[in-house]
């Protein structure tokens, strides 16, 4: 038999370094209320942008995504005008796609090869187009039910990802959440970036999985991890995150008018924020600080809003897109200053800051700030929002679990697959929505292996979440969980 003719050499399409512009609400209009800042692509714009992708043989974009979202494939389908196909590909790896298409920090784009010559493909924006123009209302399908129950504690991104992945594998999952609603820190993200409706859209796709949400139950206080195991849960996944705020630890922090940014944002996203004044100082340099300055401006239009950060702009951990957004909206940035005390009388009237000089880079590559003696100055203000980080609340969890607190504050197991010292108990979280989901995904592989071992079977890969060939199908019209709470 004659050998096959050699394959024609691969000729990548000509590289176009210029991104199809992402539409934005003009600054003058958007700062007056909480309307959406970044708008969706039109169908035509999405196809044009997708056509810029050169479909790399080794897609760094996919490798950089913590949940290995097959973005290369959904981009290919959009370029071919197949939005239904693109929506399916998006949703099959990503149960929080409607949320992530608005707020993901798009690590994929940083790795996109086009960055070498121009602006990377707008991968997150194309995810949004896939859902906007494709069939995004489909429901997930559980595989054949397994007679094992798993308790997930915490309904933030890590807990929701775990619940989805376990539900699709056929486990019966109960998610315990101390708050009245699911979402974790997602529910503090301001409405000009995403709304609760986006998350609800994601959770609606869980409707046919055996996942039950039990809200207002704080594990540790309302029953322990040991109680959950005794109740018959074969495994427990702790996705506790960082629900508490860190403080500055300076005199005057208890004055009226000084608020933890997390509480301020949590209240303002749900319409009951305390009033902010005409001169607001936000302390911090991360995404919470960025959301706080922009939210404060919207709540008090025309106010002077100042961000105080102890390092330089380059060292700010905030997403550059958010920093640019804040700058465009007129936020004043004061770098290399750290608060020393907050002054009254009676309520906040100013914040005393000290100039910092930056020393050599530390082990993490960031220069450590050192105070310059005699450099104190006062910034007059009537509101101070403290955005210097979040922390876990593990007071009610026993030390026998061996939980480690990650450098960014969330509790996690230290063994492979985030195992804790107690068999069957796992714990993980993450520094962003998609990182938390990625950690949960890793933990679920370990949970599945543990449960397979208990039932004398072998672990399996996650099945097609839309019930592809060979999957178990629930009866038509099925609406209730297999097991009531
Ligand atoms: C203001 C703000 C804006 C952000 N913006 C972005 C963004 O744009 N993009 C991005 O990717 N990331 C963003 N993040 C970060 C992101 O939200 C977090 O990294 C992510 O939510 C972490 O997920 P998690 O599941 O590990 O923890 P969390 O989101 O903290 O969720 C933990 C959940 O567990 C619950 N819980 C804790 N203890 C118990 C208990 N004992 N019993 C029952 N329930 C319990 C909590 O109530 C909470 O619901 C933002 C964070 C904040 C604060
Ligand atoms: S989830 Fe985030 S990192 Fe992953 S492909 Fe989508 S935008 Fe990129
Ligand atoms: S790295 Fe960029 S160009 Fe390559 S496949 Fe991914 S999105 Fe396309």
């Amino acid at each position: 038999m004659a050998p096959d003719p050699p394959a024609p050499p691969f000729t990548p399409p000509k590289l176009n370094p210029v991104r199809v512009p992402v539409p934005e609400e003009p600054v003058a209009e958007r700062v007056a209320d909480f309307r959406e800042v970044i708008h969706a692509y039109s169908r035509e714009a999405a196809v044009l942008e997708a056509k810029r992708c050169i479909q790399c043989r080794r897609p760094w974009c996919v490798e950089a995504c913590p949940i290995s979202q097959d973005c290369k494939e959904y981009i290919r389908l959009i370029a071919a005008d197949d939005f239904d196909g693109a929506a399916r590909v998006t949703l099959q790896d990503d149960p929080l796609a409607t949320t992530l298409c608005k707020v993901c920090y798009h690590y994929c784009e940083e790795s996109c090869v086009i960055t070498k010559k121009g602006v990377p493909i707008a991968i997150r924006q194309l995810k949004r187009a896939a859902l906007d123009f494709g069939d995004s209302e489909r429901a997930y399908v559980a595989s054949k039910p397994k007679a094992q129950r798993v308790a997930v504690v915490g309904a933030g991104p890590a807990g929701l990802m775990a619940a989805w992945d376990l539900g699709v594998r056929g486990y019966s999952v109960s998610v315990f959440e101390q708050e009245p609603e699911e979402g974790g820190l997602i529910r503090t993200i301001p409405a000009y970036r995403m709304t609760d409706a986006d998350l609800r859209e994601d959770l609606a796709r869980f409707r046919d999985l055996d996942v039950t949400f039990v809200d207002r139950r704080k594990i540790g206080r309302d029953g322990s991890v040991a109680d959950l195991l005794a109740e018959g849960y074969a495994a427990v996944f702790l996705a506790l995150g960082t629900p508490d705020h860190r403080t500055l630890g300076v005199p005057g922090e208890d004055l009226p008018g000084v608020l933890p940014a997390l509480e301020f944002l949590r209240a303002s996203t749900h319409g009951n924020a305390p009033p902010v004044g005409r001169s607001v100082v936000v302390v911090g340099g991360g995404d919470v600080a960025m959301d706080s300055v922009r939210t404060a401006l919207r709540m008090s239009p025309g106010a002077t809003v100042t961000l105080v950060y102890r390092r330089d702009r380059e060292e700010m951990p905030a997403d550059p897109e958010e920093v640019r957004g804040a700058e465009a909206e007129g936020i004043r940035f004061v770098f290399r200053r750290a608060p020393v005390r907050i002054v009254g009388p009676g309520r906040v009237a100013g914040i005393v800051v000290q100039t910092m000089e930056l020393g050599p880079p530390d082990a993490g590559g960031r220069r450590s700030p050192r105070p310059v003696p005699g450099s104190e100055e006062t910034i007059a203000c009537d509101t101070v929002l403290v955005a210097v980080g979040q922390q876990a609340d593990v007071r009610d969890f026993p030390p026998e679990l061996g939980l480690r607190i990650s450098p960014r504050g969330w509790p996690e197991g230290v063994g492979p697959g985030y195992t804790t010292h107690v068999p069957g108990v796992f714990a993980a979280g993450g520094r962003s929505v998609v990182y938390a989901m990625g950690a949960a995904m890793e933990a679920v592989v370990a949970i599945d292996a543990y449960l397979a071992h208990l039932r004398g079977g072998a672990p399996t890969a996650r099945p097609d979440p839309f019930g592809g060939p060979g999957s178990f199908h629930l009866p038509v019209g099925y609406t209730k969980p297999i097991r009531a709470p």
Side-chain angles (χ1 to χ4, degrees):
M1 211 167 86
D4 286 343
F10 174 73
T11 43
K14 199 162 172 287
L15 193 149
N16 175 358
V18 183
R19 180 180 279 190
V20 175
V22 175
E24 274 192 20
E25 189 71 13
V27 170
E29 275 95 56
R30 76 191 194 207
V31 293
D33 54 31
F34 282 83
R35 72 183 68 183
E36 191 173 53
V37 168
I38 309 262
H39 295 300
Y41 271 150
S42 67
R43 190 179 179 116
E44 296 70 30
V47 172
L48 264 183
E49 176 63 9
K51 283 187 170 162
R52 287 208 304 132
C53 169
I54 58 169
Q55 291 287 304
C56 304
R57 284 192 191 174
R58 180 170 177 188
W60 291 351
C61 50
V62 179
E63 290 181 27
C65 174
I67 56 169
S68 307
Q69 169 93 89
D70 193 353
C71 43
K72 172 183 163 184
E73 179 62 2
Y74 75 63
I75 295 170
R76 186 187 71 76
L77 290 164
I78 292 175
D81 202 27
D82 178 1
F83 283 85
D84 282 347
R88 190 193 199 285
V89 168
T90 302
L91 294 168
Q92 75 193 11
D93 304 319
D94 182 356
L96 300 182
T98 306
T99 298
L100 283 176
C101 77
K102 305 262 178 90
V103 304
C104 186
Y105 293 139
H106 45 73
Y107 307 100
C108 49
E109 293 178 23
E110 280 160 34
S111 298
C112 173
V113 73
I114 309 283
T115 312
K116 291 185 183 167
K117 299 272 173 179
V119 185
I121 306 298
I123 304 175
R124 184 184 75 187
Q125 194 70 1
L126 290 177
K127 189 194 303 294
R128 182 169 176 176
L131 301 179
D132 281 354
F133 303 113
D135 173 13
S136 60
E137 287 182 9
R138 46 175 66 234
Y140 291 117
V141 173
S143 68
K144 191 172 175 202
K146 298 185 168 73
Q148 283 165 307
R149 298 159 70 202
V150 182
V152 170
V153 183
L160 295 174
M161 180 71 176
W164 170 77
D165 203 336
L166 290 161
V168 165
R169 288 166 192 262
Y171 292 104
S172 177
V173 185
S174 302
V175 184
F176 298 97
E177 169 56 53
Q178 62 186 358
E179 296 292 333
E181 281 182 76
E182 290 72 46
L185 291 180
I186 290 178
R187 287 173 50 77
T188 60
I189 298 179
Y192 61 82
R193 297 208 285 128
M194 71 163 279
T195 63
D196 284 358
D198 294 317
L199 180 63
R200 278 200 296 275
E201 208 170 302
D202 282 326
L203 294 185
R205 292 186 210 102
F206 286 41
R207 58 187 175 266
D208 290 346
L209 302 179
D210 185 5
V211 174
T212 307
F213 292 103
V214 184
D215 295 333
R216 295 190 170 89
R217 181 150 165 209
K218 181 172 162 70
I219 300 302
R221 185 192 64 194
D222 313 325
S224 63
V225 172
D227 292 338
L228 291 174
L229 293 170
E231 276 173 37
Y233 290 101
V236 177
F237 177 55
L238 301 174
L240 306 176
T242 53
D244 288 352
H245 61 267
R246 291 200 173 121
T247 56
L248 285 171
V250 301
E253 205 170 348
D254 52 355
L255 279 172
V258 183
L259 297 165
L262 203 57
E263 279 176 26
F264 165 73
L265 289 171
R266 204 172 265 144
S268 66
T269 49
H270 297 96
N272 53 356
V276 288
R278 302 301 298 158
S279 181
V280 182
V281 169
V282 175
V283 184
D287 292 300
V288 180
M290 232 39 69
D291 282 344
S292 301
V293 284
R294 298 178 77 186
T295 297
L297 187 66
R298 283 160 173 77
M299 292 187 61
S300 184
T304 305
V305 183
T306 307
L307 181 122
V308 171
Y309 179 53
R310 62 194 182 131
R311 293 185 164 97
D312 270 333
R313 192 185 198 284
E314 309 80 70
E315 271 103 6
M316 284 177 92
D319 181 20
E321 187 178 293
E322 297 304 314
V323 180
R324 280 194 299 275
E327 275 173 340
E329 290 168 11
I331 304 299
R332 190 175 150 237
F333 285 76
V334 177
F335 293 112
R336 293 199 198 196
R337 302 284 193 291
V340 178
R341 63 188 167 277
I342 300 168
V343 291
R347 62 166 289 124
V348 57
I351 181 165
V352 181
V353 296
Q354 193 173 27
T355 303
M356 309 301 276
E357 61 182 13
L358 297 179
D362 59 17
R366 296 173 82 204
R367 293 178 295 162
S368 337
R370 285 190 301 241
V372 176
S375 61
E376 289 185 6
E377 60 184 306
T378 302
I379 304 175
C381 59
D382 51 22
T383 309
V384 173
L385 301 173
V386 181
V388 290
Q390 290 82 245
Q391 57 189 9
D393 174 7
V394 285
R395 285 167 297 185
D396 296 326
F397 291 87
E400 300 79 69
L401 282 169
L403 290 176
R404 176 185 98 107
I405 301 297
S406 76
R408 300 273 195 108
W410 60 85
E412 59 187 14
V414 286
Y418 297 103
T419 46
T420 67
H421 291 172
V422 174
V425 182
F426 303 75
R431 66 184 157 103
S432 66
V433 174
V434 75
Y435 263 105
M437 292 168 70
M441 203 171 90
E442 218 178 296
V444 166
V445 171
I447 295 170
D448 181 56
Y450 173 79
L451 295 176
H453 177 72
L454 286 189
R455 61 175 186 270
T460 49
R462 184 202 299 147
D464 180 342
F466 292 117
S471 293
F472 170 80
H473 288 265
L474 286 157
V476 175
Y478 175 87
T479 52
K480 290 208 174 67
I482 295 164
R483 184 189 50 74

